Amino acid sequence: MEKYRHWALVMQERIWLPVLALTAMVMHSVAAQPQLDIASLADTLNSTERDIADRVRDEQRKPLQVLQFLRLEPGMTALDVYAAGGYFTYVLSKAVGPEGTVLAQNSPRALRFDEDRSDITQSDALAQKIAAGNLNNVVRIDRPVDDMSLAPESVDFILLSQILHDYYNSSPQRASELLATLFQTLRPGGILGVIDHHGQIELNNRRLHRMPSDTAISVVNDAGFILDAESALLEVATDNPVRSIFDPMLNRQTSQFLLRFRKPISDQ
């Protein structure tokens, strides 16, 4: 009887030890994934050191919920394409933290535009936000996307916010070239987040500064990215798609699509 009991205990250990080891590995893998500290980030974004005009926009642009959906993680290297005056550059910088890096890209021509149609250029606005927020992990790239000189597969996360429509509406080929560059720059498994203003295919979206979400998905898919998820987070029922996004009657309340793409880890 004692011999049987000993054999049973040995067999029980042989069965459970691998299970426990596997469970520990899974738990370690889950725990190893860094998560955004949303409460701390919310306090940071509400700080008076941040531009009040940007704080006012948060209700409509929902930056923390957007980055949660896009699965940004602390420590990532993030590329902010057409960073403009730095609205998302600031948020990204605080989110990736001191172990991460934010590459704020703007073309020299774009930097000469007024920030929010004020008397300050986007270049000055971005510089002021970097200084006021102590954004030491931000690297400015004041060159066109096709001249960024970034190493292939050197970026973990790319944000393409409210700019894809300009590329596509001026020339679908230009949009394809942009996305080809971003595909080369992003590491396998990396994330591309796309935000843009809802448009309707039968309308003059170039004049309206909009694009249909199906068009965006198609052109990004054609570049090799895989659609991971869509979100209705930024949709606005009161938007009127026949109006330009700059129409004062909309008061910036445009309906926008939010898409998360990934670069395949290997050729499918």
Side-chain angles (χ1 to χ4, degrees), residues 7-137:
W7 176 84
L9 289 172
V10 169
M11 292 303 297
Q12 188 178 44
E13 287 181 358
R14 288 180 179 177
I15 293 170
W16 281 104
L17 284 176
V19 173
L20 291 171
L22 179 60
T23 303
M25 288 174 63
V26 171
M27 291 180 67
H28 174 74
S29 176
V30 172
Q33 295 295 325
Q35 301 293 319
L36 295 179
D37 185 343
I38 296 301
S40 177
L41 284 171
D43 289 341
T44 299
L45 297 190
N46 287 327
S47 168
T48 55
E49 75 177 15
R50 184 163 173 249
D51 192 306
I52 189 170
D54 285 354
R55 282 183 276 153
V56 169
R57 291 183 191 177
D58 288 348
E59 183 177 357
Q60 191 256 339
R61 300 193 73 172
K62 301 177 174 60
L64 295 183
Q65 296 97 315
V66 165
L67 295 185
Q68 272 190 303
F69 169 76
L70 294 178
R71 297 186 177 174
L72 180 76
E73 297 173 2
M76 280 184 164
T77 296
L79 171 61
D80 188 6
V81 178
Y82 186 58
Y87 173 87
F88 262 114
T89 299
Y90 190 105
V91 182
L92 288 166
S93 172
K94 298 300 184 181
V96 300
E99 301 302 317
T101 301
V102 177
L103 308 171
Q105 180 275 333
N106 281 298
S107 69
R109 177 175 176 270
L111 288 171
R112 293 193 294 270
F113 293 158
D114 291 344
E115 171 74 354
D116 289 334
R117 302 182 181 183
S118 65
D119 58 356
I120 183 173
T121 67
Q122 292 188 148
S123 181
D124 291 337
L126 178 58
Q128 289 177 14
K129 287 170 189 175
I130 290 172
N134 296 311
L135 309 184
N136 299 319
N137 60 353

Side-chain angles (χ1 to χ4, degrees), residues 199-232:
Q200 294 182 358
I201 196 166
E202 69 275 10
L203 299 177
N204 184 347
N205 287 301
R206 182 170 186 173
R207 180 180 65 81
L208 301 173
H209 291 269
R210 297 173 178 268
M211 74 184 302
S213 60
D214 286 347
T215 301
I217 292 171
S218 178
V219 69
V220 179
N221 280 160
D222 287 347
F225 296 95
I226 297 173
L227 180 63
D228 209 24
E230 305 178 53
S231 172

